[in-house]
Amino acid sequence: APFAGPPHKEITSHITRQIDPLLALFKQNAAPGALGDSLIEIDARQQLFRLESLLRIYVRQFPDLDKYRLIVKDVEDGLGDYTFAVDAHKFARDKFRDENRAAAPSAARKAEQDRILASLDKKKEAARISFERIVDGSTLVSALPELQSVVPSTFVGWSPSKDRSYVTGELER
């Protein structure tokens, strides 16, 4: 826009400061098959969700940001599915351990516990494979630096007062 001021660092940094930690997380060399576990361990889903949420807020005003939001959302959803499967397996394992400490299980109960854990383990493995396929097919690692470079030009002329008013309006929607 003619005579538009430069982007305000305060505004653009809301988004750009979410990107570097994500790049570091996804570029680290996790052992094959261990990416999901390493991301769960460091709570990467929260970082992905934070970026997705910020992009969702601005997408009505800046529709070009939606392609980045969708890339982030796809990976976040996949990690969420895997996290759920991991948590379900851990919950059942811990519950059975505590139950068995209180009273030794009968052979039938132990067999039932083993069947449940085996079923949850299969679901966890399927979710891990699915998540790794999502990441392998994702353009997240290349889209994040691109987003980082697009954000400043997107927010040219976007003042702090306009941002406050817009974000408040979006949150009230």
Side-chain angles (χ1 to χ4, degrees):
F3 307 108
H8 283 265
K9 189 84 172 149
E10 169 191 333
I11 296 166
T12 58
S13 71
H14 291 312
I15 295 173
T16 58
R17 73 173 168 234
Q18 305 303 322
I19 295 171
D20 285 334
L22 286 171
L23 277 172
L25 296 174
F26 281 89
K27 284 185 175 179
Q28 71 186 6
N29 293 321
L35 176 63
D37 292 326
S38 67
L39 293 174
I40 289 171
E41 190 174 304
I42 56 177
D43 202 15
R45 186 170 182 221
Q46 182 177 342
Q47 191 72 28
L48 287 162
F49 189 72
R50 189 177 298 129
L51 179 57
E52 178 192 345
S53 298
L54 285 167
L55 294 172
R56 182 180 305 278
I57 286 172
Y58 289 108
V59 81
R60 234 172 35 90
Q61 183 66 34
F62 305 109
D64 290 349
L65 295 179
D66 200 39
K67 73 178 183 179
Y68 301 104
R69 182 190 67 80
L70 293 172
I71 293 167
V72 172
K73 181 180 180 2
D74 190 39
V75 174
E76 188 273 328
D77 286 348
L79 184 56
D81 291 345
Y82 180 56
T83 301
F84 180 80
V86 167
D87 289 348
H89 185 271
K90 183 180 182 307
F91 176 80
R93 187 191 67 222
D94 292 350
K95 183 178 187 319
F96 295 153
R97 183 195 63 225
D98 294 346
E99 180 182 305
N100 297 346
R101 277 188 192 151
S106 67
R109 178 64 181 146
K110 179 67 175 131
E112 179 186 25
Q113 290 174 350
D114 290 345
R115 276 193 307 275
I116 291 168
L117 288 173
S119 173
L120 290 171
D121 200 41
K122 284 180 186 175
K123 289 178 181 178
K124 182 175 87 168
E125 182 61 12
R128 182 192 63 77
I129 291 169
S130 176
F131 174 65
E132 289 189 357
R133 283 187 185 137
I134 289 168
V135 171
D136 288 346
S138 175
T139 59
L140 182 71
V141 172
S142 61
L144 290 174
E146 184 181 310
L147 174 60
Q148 206 162 27
S149 68
V150 165
V151 166
S153 61
T154 300
F155 286 87
V156 165
W158 192 258
S159 69
S161 62
K162 184 174 188 173
D163 187 62
R164 204 170 7 267
S165 173
Y166 174 79
V167 170
T168 300
E170 285 302 295
L171 293 174
E172 289 173 352
R173 289 182 64 160

